[in-house]
Amino acid sequence: MEDDAPVIYGLEFQARALTPQTAETDAIRFLVGTQSLRYDNQIHIIDFDDENNIINKNVLLHQVGEIWHISTSPADKGVLATCYNKTSDSKVMTCAAVWRMPKELESGSHESPDDSSSNTQTLELLCHLDNTAHGNMACVMWEPMGDGKKVISLADNNILLWDLQESSAKAVLSSSAALEGKGQLKFTSGRWSPHHNCTQIATANDTTVRGWDTRSMRQIYCIENAHGQLVRDLDFNPNKQYYLASCGDDCKVKFWDTRNVTEPVKTLEEHSHWVWNVRYNHSHDQLILTGSSDSRVILSNMVSISSEPFGHMVDDDELSDQEDQHQEEKIKEPLQDSVIATYEEHEDSVYAVEWSSADPWLFASLSYDGRLVINRVPRALKYHILL
């Protein structure tokens, strides 16, 4: 089997929520949440065995409702948060809760159980992020690189900062901010920046992207009309502190320097329908993944705005004279941005793309029909970046 060939897994349920298991940095592991109105919803723990190119799965029951968003603790492999739909008094609310998976499933590289009937286990509820006063939960973000004790949830027009206490059994609201003004004041998504000592987040509502300081809970920048239509997703460059990517229903992906937000630094226009998701590679930030309702996943090489615009810097000591000369010629020209690959394994809207937290060259994508595809960065490019 060719190394770059995709591996496909079908969930048999509709799904839109996907996350890597952030705290697991050795084994390749993703979590997928289902959206089923008829059956109990589930979280599928997907372990990818990259030596044999096979997927092992374990299933956890998530009986409270359809999963709209899922995120994992950066510090504790067993802890995760979901946003889910709950119907009470014939009204549908999107709620959020923090859960723990069974101890024996916390670490990656599990075999699939032989007997699929005894295969489902339950999640232990740690706490609810109480949103009765704040509206529908859009997402839960964990403090990056944190101890897993701080989360921010976005609920309608509210930003809520929670302290998880007593081993996450209790969530205490420590501060909040509300979006004020006219128009559609509902957050669609947000990201917590890994820079500035983790004191900044970015949010999207309608066509606007805003930055917030988590200490004062005040707005620090605002990009009005960042996109021509709804902004769907955001991500921070992990290695370049002011750089932020956004994507939306205008089919575009835009890159911003938050110190000067009058114009995007770059715009990508490769998708032909809404772009739901944008993700920077954690190690090689020129690699950008996007997923769209055009059923495609696109991997782009945005090297001109990356932390290494001239490619991989080589230590002079490692070069002979001849190579040295060649190296100098090479360094003068910034490398060109390009689309590396377009992946066509999906037949439905791709609602989520995520890089593995264990292998920087591997990523997963999820379409609404429950198809999960695991792909690798093409080998030629990988060696080009490394060598």
Side-chain angles (χ1 to χ4, degrees):
M1 187 167 190
E2 187 198 327
D3 197 7
D4 289 343
V7 178
I8 297 174
Y9 168 70
L11 271 89
E12 296 163 25
F13 287 102
Q14 290 179 328
R16 65 164 69 219
L18 169 71
T19 180
Q21 187 182 21
T22 316
E24 175 58 86
T25 52
D26 297 325
I28 296 163
R29 175 175 258 206
F30 294 95
L31 276 62
V32 184
T34 66
Q35 288 207 319
S36 165
L37 290 170
R38 294 222 305 277
Y39 304 99
D40 275 337
N41 281 280
Q42 304 172 343
I43 289 174
H44 288 224
I45 301 176
I46 305 296
D47 284 307
F48 181 59
D49 170 351
D50 59 339
E51 278 173 24
N52 303 304
N53 242 26
I54 51 172
I55 280 173
N56 295 309
K57 65 149 192 186
N58 283 273
V59 177
L60 297 170
L61 279 181
H62 182 277
Q63 285 155 317
V64 286
E66 325 166 70
I67 302 170
W68 285 84
H69 186 264
I70 185 169
S71 55
T72 54
S73 162
D76 188 330
K77 292 180 190 179
V79 174
L80 59 130
T82 60
C83 298
Y84 58 89
N85 272 7
K86 184 178 110 184
T87 310
S88 58
D89 311 331
S90 71
K91 250 180 65 179
V92 179
M93 277 293 283
T94 312
C95 305
V98 180
W99 310 87
R100 179 174 285 287
M101 63 176 75
K103 200 97 194 116
E104 65 273 17
L105 290 181
E106 279 183 15
S107 289
S109 69
H110 277 273
E111 301 281 301
S112 297
D114 296 334
D115 176 16
S116 58
S117 61
S118 65
N119 171 352
T120 45
Q121 304 198 49
T122 38
L123 286 161
E124 175 198 350
L125 174 67
L126 293 176
C127 62
H128 288 285
L129 301 181
D130 178 26
N131 63 329
T132 34
H134 303 111
N136 288 304
M137 292 285 191
C139 65
V140 175
M141 306 174 261
W142 298 79
E143 180 181 34
M145 289 106 61
D147 54 7
K149 301 249 185 349
K150 273 196 166 71
V151 295
I152 286 178
S153 63
L154 301 179
D156 280 351
N157 64 328
N158 296 286
I159 301 173
L160 309 169
L161 175 61
W162 305 86
D163 282 323
L164 299 181
Q165 298 173 358
E166 296 164 29
S167 308
S168 303
K170 189 173 160 200
V172 178
L173 187 61
S174 67
S175 59
S176 65
L179 192 56
E180 283 152 16
K182 45 189 203 301
Q184 176 59 292
L185 298 175
K186 231 188 191 147
F187 290 117
T188 44
S189 70
R191 289 300 267 186
W192 198 324
S193 170
H195 308 293
H196 317 289
N197 293 331
C198 301
T199 57
Q200 294 188 11
I201 63 164
T203 61
N205 72 287
D206 202 16
T207 60
T208 303
V209 173
R210 294 165 206 271
W212 305 80
D213 186 317
T214 57
R215 296 161 299 187
S216 62
M217 280 301 199
R218 289 207 167 92
Q219 194 173 292
I220 43 181
Y221 56 84
C222 178
I223 313 173
E224 285 188 37
N225 301 315
H227 287 263
Q229 290 166 276
L230 187 71
V231 181
R232 291 278 174 193
D233 196 27
L234 305 166
D235 200 21
F236 282 99
N237 185 319
N239 305 322
K240 253 186 122 169
Q241 60 175 349
Y242 297 100
Y243 278 68
L244 173 71
S246 64
C247 63
D249 286 2
D250 58 3
C251 312
K252 294 175 185 173
V253 181
K254 296 187 181 183
F255 299 89
W256 306 90
D257 179 337
T258 58
R259 293 165 300 184
N260 176 14
V261 294
T262 47
E263 288 289 324
V265 183
K266 276 271 173 186
T267 302
L268 267 178
E269 302 186 46
E270 297 295 335
H271 285 288
S272 56
H273 207 283
W274 304 345
V275 187
W276 282 90
N277 226 203
V278 58
R279 286 289 175 270
Y280 278 98
N281 186 292
H282 314 301
S283 313
H284 309 285
D285 56 274
Q286 67 265 48
L287 299 178
I288 308 281
L289 272 180
T290 51
S292 160
S293 291
D294 63 12
S295 309
R296 296 182 308 160
V297 173
I298 294 180
L299 175 62
S300 303
N301 192 8
M302 299 303 290
V303 67
S304 72
I305 52 171
S306 74
S307 56
E308 293 189 336
F310 298 96
H312 187 66
M313 293 302 185
V314 183
D315 218 3
D316 287 346
D317 304 345
E318 295 168 25
L319 299 172
S320 65
D321 290 344
Q322 218 172 354
E323 279 181 313
D324 202 13
Q325 214 175 341
H326 176 64
Q327 189 67 16
E328 273 174 24
E329 284 161 26
K330 228 168 72 178
I331 275 178
K332 289 178 199 141
E333 260 323 280
L335 300 168
Q336 292 296 304
D337 296 341
S338 60
V339 168
I340 295 156
T342 300
Y343 298 89
E344 312 256 2
E345 288 90 21
H346 293 283
E347 294 168 24
D348 204 343
S349 286
V350 178
Y351 282 147
V353 290
E354 292 286 352
W355 292 100
S356 161
S357 46
D359 179 342
W361 307 106
L362 192 129
F363 58 92
S365 53
L366 175 69
S367 50
Y368 190 53
D369 54 9
R371 182 178 297 182
L372 180 84
V373 180
I374 292 181
N375 264 304
R376 292 181 182 88
V377 172
R379 269 160 96 177
L381 179 79
K382 170 176 165 179
Y383 295 125
H384 180 74
I385 288 174
L386 285 180
L387 300 175

